[in-house]
Amino acid sequence: FTSFLHLLGASEEVAPPLQQSFMIPKKEINMVSDMAKWKRSQAYADYMGFILTLNEGVRGKKLTCDYKVSEPIEKLVALLNTLDRWIDETPPVDQPSRFGNKAFRTWYAKLDQEAEKLVATVIPKHLADAAPEVAVYLKESVGNSTRIDYGTGHEAAFAAFLCCLCKIGVLRVDDQMAIVFKVFNRYLEVMRKLQKTYRMEPAGSQGVWGLDDFQFLPFIWGSSQLIDHPNLEPRHFVDEKVVNENHKDFMFLECILFITEMKTGPFAEHSNQLWNISAVPSWSKVNQGLIRMYKAE
């Protein structure tokens, strides 16, 4: 993961204006054969390097611990708070079908319109040219407005959005913990609210054979947080009492809590993969296994 650190730039030095040219991203992965090209690309190396750098950065740390919060981090949280406020301003509409509330399209249209302006509030003036490129990832990170669904591809777009902000020097090495604990965690809260409010369908879900209907990264980073925990073991996360007492400290348990709120019936039936993971002896094994699974999926 050290290969990614040079992208983040040293924390003390002021980054010189970058000689970068920006472009509006276009979809490059359209068929199965394109996957090989993606896997060999610098973009893939940067993206996975980013995920793994953050995985190390939060290892053994609680969500509630102390960490540095820079100005760009504060601005990103403000951006997410705006998205949250728009949900309140766009209540679900009455419609015959239970899932996929059409009010999501109204909410999304607002983001589509405002995304570049929102991104411009986060990046410095000399990088203003980057806003149209970076904004595409933000728009892709909240779900699909035609299908009214959300899944791990949308989550990946948000991680790519943060990765872009690192590549242009807005986020730095010493922002690592805040990227996960403050920004990504706030993103998850907003996405859960979207999923609940507009009853979004899971995108590309493998049903009972998938890890989770909506997210993947918080399970990776959340399992890293729990590595070497003195008394919480993987077998404990299926215990309701343990989850209720510790979810505010650990992202993994927050995800489990959300699943149990949204689903009924035995945990082993609705979340079979996670049930299997609870039998893994250590959190570091869980973490390594999830990273392998993420790359494969």
Side-chain angles (χ1 to χ4, degrees):
F1 71 94
T2 44
S3 66
F4 191 77
L5 291 175
H6 74 276
L7 286 175
L8 285 160
S11 49
E12 290 79 28
E13 60 194 58
V14 176
L18 296 166
Q19 295 307 306
Q20 282 175 309
S21 57
F22 300 100
M23 57 177 271
I24 303 294
K26 66 179 205 295
K27 202 169 166 65
E28 292 279 6
I29 305 172
N30 298 302
M31 43 218 263
V32 176
S33 55
D34 295 333
M35 284 302 287
K37 191 173 111 186
W38 156 240
K39 282 282 184 75
R40 286 193 305 270
S41 69
Q42 185 58 46
Y44 177 82
D46 288 350
Y47 179 78
M48 281 315 301
F50 179 66
I51 302 298
L52 298 176
T53 301
L54 295 175
N55 189 57
E56 285 303 309
V58 300
R59 188 181 171 128
K61 308 274 198 324
K62 289 181 178 181
L63 284 168
T64 48
C65 73
D66 287 331
Y67 49 83
K68 173 183 173 270
V69 179
S70 65
E71 197 181 337
I73 294 284
E74 295 281 18
K75 287 174 174 174
L76 281 164
V77 173
L79 181 157
L80 291 164
N81 291 344
T82 300
L83 302 189
D84 191 331
R85 193 182 73 244
W86 291 349
I87 302 173
D88 296 334
E89 292 167 3
T90 318
V93 294
D94 281 337
Q95 61 176 47
S97 64
R98 218 170 107 228
F99 286 92
N101 195 284
K102 291 182 174 64
F104 175 72
R105 291 181 182 149
T106 309
W107 180 90
Y108 185 86
K110 190 155 191 173
L111 173 62
D112 195 34
Q113 208 181 335
E114 302 286 330
E116 279 185 39
K117 272 191 221 151
L118 287 173
V119 170
T121 64
V122 177
I123 59 181
K125 294 269 189 291
H126 72 274
L127 289 169
D129 289 354
E133 178 170 339
V134 178
V136 174
Y137 294 100
L138 179 64
K139 288 192 282 195
E140 288 282 325
S141 74
V142 296
N144 182 290
S145 67
T146 308
R147 297 189 303 268
I148 314 181
D149 64 6
Y150 173 92
T152 50
H154 301 111
E155 176 193 77
F158 191 74
F161 166 67
L162 296 172
C163 185
C164 289
L165 293 176
C166 289
K167 291 194 70 161
I168 60 175
V170 173
L171 297 172
R172 301 302 191 79
V173 175
D174 54 3
D175 287 319
Q176 277 181 74
M177 281 168 69
I179 289 171
V180 180
F181 290 171
K182 207 155 179 73
V183 178
F184 193 81
N185 203 46
R186 184 72 187 107
Y187 165 75
L188 287 176
E189 289 169 0
V190 178
M191 292 308 105
R192 286 174 186 138
K193 188 167 169 178
L194 277 180
Q195 289 151 22
K196 267 184 173 165
T197 306
Y198 304 122
R199 302 300 298 269
M200 296 177 80
E201 297 274 8
S205 167
Q206 300 167 335
V208 73
W209 303 112
L211 183 69
D212 177 75
D213 280 343
F214 297 111
Q215 313 297 158
F216 202 123
L217 291 173
F219 292 96
I220 295 179
W221 295 331
S223 58
S224 181
Q225 281 185 278
L226 285 154
I227 290 173
D228 298 332
H229 192 284
N231 33 24
L232 290 181
E233 294 170 29
R235 64 190 170 91
H236 291 125
F237 77 73
V238 290
D239 179 335
E240 202 180 327
K241 186 169 177 286
V242 172
V243 172
N244 287 333
E245 286 171 5
N246 298 281
H247 70 94
K248 286 189 168 70
D249 284 326
F250 300 105
M251 214 170 232
F252 195 102
L253 302 182
E254 193 70 72
C255 289
I256 301 295
L257 185 69
F258 185 67
I259 291 170
T260 54
E261 274 175 18
M262 298 296 278
K263 297 193 170 184
T264 52
F267 191 87
E269 285 176 24
H270 63 61
S271 302
N272 190 261
Q273 284 278 31
L274 285 165
W275 177 257
N276 292 338
I277 285 170
S278 72
V280 175
S282 72
W283 285 110
S284 62
K285 283 258 190 313
V286 170
N287 187 246
Q288 289 159 12
L290 287 172
I291 289 165
R292 276 199 305 276
M293 189 174 166
Y294 189 67
K295 286 178 176 174
E297 288 187 13

